[in-house]
């Protein structure tokens, strides 16, 4: 329904609610018409009929006759304004509602929550934060929603410690559902610690992240990085191999350090065994390329070529094709050099504009990995792209 039609419907509903309220008080309609308040309604309706919506709204708000039947209608009016981008009018409706002493405590909390959302939409985050912090401490039916909104502000502002505190209270109230999100927030704290060169602090944050979500891939990847920086290669390998069990889609993000740690600790054979197991369970271009690399390093180009060709037949990919051309370039057949290079240029161009990561919640895609989707603001929904154009 177009907004204007919905607005008309809401205003008529307010008018009907007003009449109904008066009927309940056993007053005659004629009395209502004589009352200056009811005149406001007719003036408002007149504006509405003449499509002067702004004047109509002003008049209706002035004539606000609040009872238990009209609160919902006024809230609908407020959210309609908000949707139309007229947030200052929505604020006005909600502030007027709040000024009414006849609101029940639950109604008052609900209106405050709506007002806080208006402030968020208007970018008045300090005001919204103060209201929501207060509401999230009150024992009301809207406590969870107030905490959720407050959390959005802290996440937007990258205030991770405060975000953790709110989410911990939601975790206590609502349980496991908040575990993965909480683990991501502890990972943010761990990253902050690492930026200050506080590895011990980062380790503490990561331990808590695992206690909230033992399958937190991100915590494994950060821990793998810390272990690598401290030269503990066995720990790097143990930590990063866990990623394949936690969520195989993130294996590509673990391969670089796994390869380096295996090389540094002379455990390439074991690494190749791990990659082969990954490949048999979840075919992935990045794993195929890592295995091909190991074969090339062991100077077995012939077998590398055979292996890669076979894998490409099973699961075609542009990156795999590029690697295949690389191998062909070692010993190009007579006259094939120029065409192989041209083919590689074409593939590079095709890959140039392709996204490497995609959110499976909203479809957002890009070249950089985000744990917190910039579009839908979900956590852990972006993964490396798989398939022919994938990793
Ligand atoms: Zn998304």
């Amino acid at each position: 329904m177009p907004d204007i039609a919905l607005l008309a419907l809401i205003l008529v509903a307010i008018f009907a609610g007003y009449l109904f309220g008066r009927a309940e008080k056993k007053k005659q309609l004629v009395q209502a018409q004589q009352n200056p308040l009811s005149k406001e309604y007719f003036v408002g309706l007149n504006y509405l009929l003449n499509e002067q919506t702004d004047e109509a709204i002003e008049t209706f708000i002035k004539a606000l006759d609040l009872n238990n039947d009209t609160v919902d209608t006024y809230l609908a009016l407020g959210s309609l304004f908000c949707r139309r981008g007229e947030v200052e009018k929505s604020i006005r409706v909600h502030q007027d509602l709040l000024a009414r002493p006849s609101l029940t405590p639950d109604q008052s909390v609900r209106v405050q929550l709506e007002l806080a959302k208006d402030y968020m939409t208007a970018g008045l985050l300090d005001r919204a934060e103060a209201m929501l912090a207060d509401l999230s401490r009150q024992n009301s039916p809207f406590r969870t929603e107030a905490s959720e909104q407050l959390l959005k502000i802290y996440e937007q502002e990258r205030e991770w410690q405060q975000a953790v505190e709110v989410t911990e209270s939601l975790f206590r109230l609502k349980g496991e559902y908040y575990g993965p999100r909480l683990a991501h927030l502890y990972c943010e704290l761990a990253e902050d610690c690492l930026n200050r060169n506080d590895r011990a602090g980062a380790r503490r944050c990561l331990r808590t992240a695992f206690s909230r979500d033992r399958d937190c891939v991100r915590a494994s990847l950060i821990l793998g990085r810390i272990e690598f920086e401290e030269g503990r290669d066995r720990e790097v390998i143990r930590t990063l191999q866990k990623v394949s069990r936690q969520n195989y889609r993130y294996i590509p993000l673990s391969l670089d350090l796994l390869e380096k740690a295996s090389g540094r600790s002379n455990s390439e054979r074991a690494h190749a065994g791990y990659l082969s197991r990954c490949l048999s369970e979840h075919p992935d271009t990045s794993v195929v390329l890592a295995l091909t690399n190991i074969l090339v390093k062991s100077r077995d180009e012939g077998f590398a070529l055979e292996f890669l060709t076979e894998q490409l037949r099973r699961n075609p990919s542009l990156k795999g094709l590029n690697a295949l051309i690389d191998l062909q370039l070692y010993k190009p057949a007579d006259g094939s050099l120029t065409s192989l290079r041209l083919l590689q240029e074409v593939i590079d161009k095709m890959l140039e504009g392709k996204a490497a990561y995609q959110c499976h919640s909203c479809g957002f895609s890009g070249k950089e990995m985000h744990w917190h989707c910039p579009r839908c603001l979900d956590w852990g929904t972006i993964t490396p792209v798989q398939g022919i154009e994938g990793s």
Side-chain angles (χ1 to χ4, degrees):
M1 191 185 296
D3 275 358
I4 191 75
L6 189 56
L7 178 63
L9 200 65
I10 289 173
L11 294 178
V12 170
I14 291 174
F15 179 60
Y18 165 73
L19 289 182
F20 180 69
R22 294 199 73 80
E24 277 206 326
K25 291 173 205 160
K26 297 181 181 169
K27 289 185 180 172
Q28 296 297 316
L29 183 59
V30 68
Q31 279 178 304
Q33 285 167 332
Q34 284 162 355
N35 187 316
L37 196 62
S38 69
K39 278 183 195 158
E40 302 271 20
Y41 277 101
F42 286 109
V43 173
L45 274 181
N46 196 35
Y47 279 134
L48 194 61
L49 291 171
N50 289 320
E51 296 189 355
Q52 292 169 273
T53 49
D54 284 356
E55 289 82 353
I57 289 155
E58 284 298 311
T59 313
F60 279 116
I61 291 174
K62 260 190 231 161
L64 186 71
D65 181 28
L66 187 74
N67 59 52
N68 284 343
D69 302 308
T70 54
V71 170
D72 282 345
T73 318
Y74 278 101
L75 285 172
L77 180 64
S79 72
L80 179 64
F81 283 143
C82 218
R83 275 218 321 267
R84 283 162 50 117
E86 297 175 282
V87 67
E88 59 301 326
K89 281 187 186 141
S90 179
I91 289 174
R92 170 89 191 277
V93 169
H94 293 135
Q95 281 176 335
D96 279 351
L97 270 173
L98 267 185
R100 306 285 155 156
S102 54
L103 284 181
T104 66
D106 277 356
Q107 281 173 336
S108 170
V109 168
R110 193 169 158 211
V111 177
Q112 285 178 65
L113 185 59
E114 293 306 318
L115 185 56
K117 285 191 207 166
D118 292 340
Y119 288 148
M120 282 170 76
T121 310
L124 302 167
L125 296 186
D126 286 353
R127 272 198 225 179
E129 183 188 332
M131 280 185 91
L132 291 168
D134 187 38
L135 293 174
S136 66
R137 283 190 291 268
Q138 292 178 30
N139 198 7
S140 80
F142 304 98
R143 187 175 184 180
T144 304
E145 196 183 343
S147 301
E148 282 273 5
Q149 295 297 329
L150 185 59
L151 188 51
K152 274 189 198 168
I153 294 180
Y154 291 144
E155 286 176 349
Q156 192 180 328
E157 301 278 282
R158 302 178 65 80
E159 299 280 1
W160 304 123
Q161 186 57 50
Q162 281 161 302
V164 158
E165 282 160 27
V166 175
T167 317
E168 281 288 4
S169 74
L170 283 166
F171 186 70
R172 283 192 297 275
L173 277 173
K174 298 282 168 184
E176 298 299 309
Y177 172 76
Y178 287 95
R181 189 169 181 179
L182 202 42
H184 272 288
L185 294 172
Y186 280 110
C187 286
E188 292 289 352
L189 286 179
E191 293 282 14
D192 282 353
C193 287
L194 289 178
N195 288 337
R196 299 191 302 269
N197 282 325
D198 176 11
R199 286 193 196 134
R203 280 179 184 276
R204 276 196 300 279
C205 293
L206 295 175
R207 269 198 297 278
T208 321
F210 283 127
S211 75
R212 298 296 182 264
D213 175 19
R214 58 204 287 265
D215 287 332
C216 182
V217 169
R218 188 182 180 187
S220 296
L221 291 171
I222 300 173
L223 185 59
R225 226 165 66 212
I226 297 174
E227 303 290 14
F228 185 79
E229 281 166 17
E230 294 181 354
R232 293 149 56 97
D233 292 324
R234 286 173 67 132
E235 286 306 307
V236 176
I237 293 168
R238 197 182 65 79
T239 305
L240 293 183
Q241 286 190 350
K242 261 202 318 202
V243 171
S244 65
R245 296 192 297 277
Q246 290 173 320
N247 188 338
Y248 71 90
R249 290 173 188 276
Y250 292 102
I251 291 175
L253 300 184
S254 67
L255 292 180
D256 182 42
L257 280 191
L258 265 178
E259 189 188 325
K260 285 179 182 158
S262 309
R264 216 162 54 174
S265 59
N266 295 319
S267 51
E268 278 113 336
R269 276 177 74 94
H271 183 46
Y274 164 73
L275 291 174
S276 301
R277 284 195 300 282
C278 288
L279 195 59
S280 64
E281 288 162 19
H282 312 288
D284 181 282
T285 304
S286 63
V287 177
V288 170
L289 296 185
L291 267 169
T292 308
N293 226 3
I294 291 176
L295 292 172
V296 171
K297 274 188 190 161
S298 61
R299 304 195 174 277
D300 201 348
E301 285 103 358
F303 184 53
L305 194 65
E306 204 178 299
F307 168 76
L308 185 54
T309 309
E310 178 57 26
Q311 291 299 322
L312 273 174
R313 271 203 195 98
R314 287 189 205 169
N315 299 295
S317 77
L318 289 176
K319 279 191 181 167
L321 189 58
N322 226 351
L324 188 70
I325 296 170
D326 265 339
L327 286 180
Q328 299 279 11
L329 284 171
Y330 275 108
K331 287 180 192 162
D334 287 345
S336 66
L337 195 64
T338 316
S339 35
L340 282 175
R341 290 214 167 116
L342 179 65
L343 193 55
Q344 208 159 36
E345 274 174 35
V346 173
I347 295 170
D348 283 341
K349 281 251 175 325
M350 285 170 82
L351 284 169
E352 217 172 65
K354 300 293 175 196
Y357 303 96
Q358 188 166 32
C359 174
H360 54 78
S361 181
C362 72
F364 171 85
S365 61
K367 290 215 170 275
E368 275 180 47
M369 175 67 197
H370 295 273
W371 293 102
H372 191 203
C373 176
R375 188 190 289 163
C376 69
L377 304 179
D378 271 354
W379 288 94
T381 49
I382 294 181
T383 56
V385 173
Q386 313 261 318
I388 192 154
E389 292 169 355
S391 59

